[in-house]
């Protein structure tokens, strides 16, 4: 298929673009490189360096079989400080993209949604039909895009799949996480053995979990990429489907740090600090729907995520 990957200069977009090329697809990346890196775009893909609003129409006019839409602002804290920016970049630019798809009759889209659409869960594991009550503008803007996708599917016959990611980690060879502002736990822990930090902070030790720290569901970026390829094949005209993507297993912050110690062989001092505002105690996905419908299963464990991330950041 001829595919447009928005945000293909970013962490997840670049890994998926690489896997799409390996599967024999033709890939064009559309990315303004505001947070991504031009050198992260796989060499077999063409890069159009522009915003969706500026360029989606012209690019899609060439004729495409599908879009994988990763381009977004994705920092929860920043979204609370600048909600307008998140509504504009996430929802506004997505509307421009969807409208260009409608005009140029692009039949399918796979969208990067997020566990943040659910907010504080009433129960775990979270299933797709659970209430969506995002607690920040980032999650709210992503949920709004899911809603618009459902509308565009119904009104214009586009086939859409929203994949709601839980905690993505790991790397794929030379493709990995390179955020200027790094908030995620695994890259932050690995900064200690890398010599960039003295210690890692544990945000809260008084949660109602077995060891008092938050529990999250980690998924390897390569397993995540596999789900995108399956979702692309599964897009059905006029339908919008939502699938959670996690491993169904939870690891506490302390357990993640322990795995990082094992993998790197370094002591990695940890300093216990206060909670980070807005962090739910436990977030675990039920991935039963995507397993049943698309035959997807995670194949890589937390140790492999940390080992691949560690190899990536040292290279
Ligand atoms: N966390 C931490 N120290 C850090 C970064 C994150 O204790 O330096 C915790 C954070 O409070 C959360 C978990 O690790 O409970 C996962 O955070 P991350 O930002 O990686 O992902 P999130 O679940 O917020 O999307």
């Amino acid at each position: 298929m001829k595919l447009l990957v928005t945000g293909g200069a970013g962490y997840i977009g670049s890994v998926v673009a690489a896997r799409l090329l390996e599967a024999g697809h033709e890939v064009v990346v559309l990315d303004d490189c505001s947070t991504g890196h031009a050198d992260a775009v796989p060499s077999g893909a063409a890069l159009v360096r522009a915003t969706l609003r500026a360029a989606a129409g012209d690019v899609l006019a060439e004729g495409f079989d599908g879009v994988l839409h990763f381009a977004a602002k994705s920092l929860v804290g920043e979204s609370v400080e600048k909600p307008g920016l998140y509504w504009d970049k996430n929802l506004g630019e997505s509307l421009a993209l969807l409208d260009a798809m409608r005009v140029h009759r692009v039949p399918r889209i796979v969208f990067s949604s997020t566990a943040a659409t659910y907010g504080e869960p009433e129960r775990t594991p979270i299933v797709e039909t659970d209430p969506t009550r995002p607690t920040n503008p980032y999650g709210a803007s992503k949920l709004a895009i899911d809603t618009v996708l459902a509308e565009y599917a119904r009104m214009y016959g586009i086939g859409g799949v929203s994949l709601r990611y839980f905690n993505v980690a790991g790397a794929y060879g030379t493709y990995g996480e390179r955020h200027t502002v790094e908030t995620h736990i695994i890259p932050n822990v690995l900064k200690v053995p890398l010599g960039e930090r003295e210690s890692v902070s544990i945000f809260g030790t008084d949660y109602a979990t077995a060891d008092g720290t938050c529990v999250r569901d980690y998924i390897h970026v390569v397993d995540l990429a596999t789900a995108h390829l399956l979702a692309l094949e599964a897009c059905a005209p006029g339908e919008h489907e939502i699938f959670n993507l996690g491993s169904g297993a939870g690891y506490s912050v302390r357990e993640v740090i322990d795995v990082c110690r094992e993998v790197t062989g370094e002591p990695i001092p940890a300093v216990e600090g206060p909670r980070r505002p807005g962090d739910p105690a436990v977030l675990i996905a039920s991935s039963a729907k995507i397993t049943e419908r698309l035959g997807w299963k995670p194949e890589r464990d937390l140790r492999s995520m940390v080992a691949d991330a560690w190899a990536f950041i040292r290279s």
Side-chain angles (χ1 to χ4, degrees):
M1 285 190 248
K2 183 169 178 184
L3 301 168
L4 179 67
V5 177
T6 77
Y11 167 42
I12 299 171
S14 64
V15 173
V16 175
R19 300 292 280 187
L20 289 167
L21 287 164
E22 284 165 17
H25 296 290
E26 183 183 346
V27 175
V28 176
V29 166
L30 176 55
D31 197 305
D32 65 1
C33 296
S34 55
T35 51
H37 309 270
D39 64 2
V41 176
S43 55
L47 169 64
V48 178
R49 196 170 175 155
T51 64
L52 303 185
R53 207 175 260 128
D58 288 347
V59 173
L60 290 179
E62 289 169 18
F64 277 80
D65 301 302
V67 173
L68 295 105
H69 180 30
F70 301 93
K73 303 292 275 179
S74 62
L75 296 172
V76 168
E78 183 186 51
S79 81
V80 174
E81 283 162 26
K82 302 176 186 168
L85 177 70
Y86 275 67
W87 286 106
D88 178 52
K89 296 301 287 180
N90 290 357
L91 180 60
E93 299 252 358
S94 296
L95 279 172
L97 174 70
L98 278 164
D99 228 51
M101 288 180 66
R102 176 183 66 78
V103 169
H104 300 293
R105 301 188 183 283
V106 181
R108 54 180 80 76
I109 179 167
V110 179
F111 170 60
S112 296
S113 188
T114 168
T117 54
Y118 295 110
E120 182 84 47
E122 273 167 17
R123 56 170 185 178
T124 54
I126 298 171
V127 297
E128 291 82 353
T129 47
D130 281 348
T132 41
R133 288 189 287 250
T135 52
N136 52 64
Y138 165 65
S141 66
K142 289 278 184 170
L143 178 61
I145 301 165
D146 286 343
T147 307
V148 175
L149 276 177
E151 289 285 292
Y152 271 65
R154 192 171 58 82
M155 294 294 295
Y156 306 118
I158 292 173
V161 171
S162 292
L163 297 175
R164 290 194 173 151
Y165 310 161
F166 281 61
N167 290 63
V168 187
Y172 179 49
T174 56
Y175 306 100
E177 216 164 348
R178 277 200 276 157
H179 298 123
T180 319
V181 180
E182 189 51 79
T183 59
H184 293 135
I185 179 86
I186 292 172
N188 271 317
V189 177
L190 294 177
K191 281 184 180 172
V192 182
L194 202 63
E196 289 180 7
R197 285 179 69 144
E198 296 277 299
S199 61
V200 63
S201 307
I202 298 179
F203 298 151
T205 52
D206 60 348
Y207 286 95
T209 58
D211 68 16
T213 66
C214 288
V215 170
R216 293 289 180 273
D217 183 341
Y218 295 87
I219 169 173
H220 197 296
V221 68
V222 174
D223 285 332
L224 190 86
T226 304
H228 285 75
L229 273 84
L230 293 170
L232 192 65
E233 302 292 340
C235 285
E239 283 177 30
H240 174 241
E241 286 286 352
I242 295 171
F243 295 106
N244 287 341
L245 274 182
S247 66
Y251 290 91
S252 73
V253 172
R254 289 191 208 278
E255 287 171 325
V256 169
I257 297 170
D258 279 340
V259 172
C260 293
R261 288 177 178 136
E262 278 167 38
V263 166
T264 62
E266 297 286 337
I268 311 186
V271 176
E272 298 184 3
R275 292 182 176 198
R276 186 170 69 179
D279 276 341
V282 179
L283 282 179
I284 298 175
S286 164
S287 296
K289 183 178 172 188
I290 191 164
T291 301
E292 191 188 307
R293 301 273 284 276
L294 307 188
W296 177 84
K297 272 206 204 91
E299 286 174 356
R300 294 159 184 83
D301 62 7
L302 182 61
R303 201 190 161 83
S304 128
M305 296 176 218
V306 172
D308 292 346
W310 181 230
F312 170 75
I313 61 172
R314 276 185 308 160
S315 67

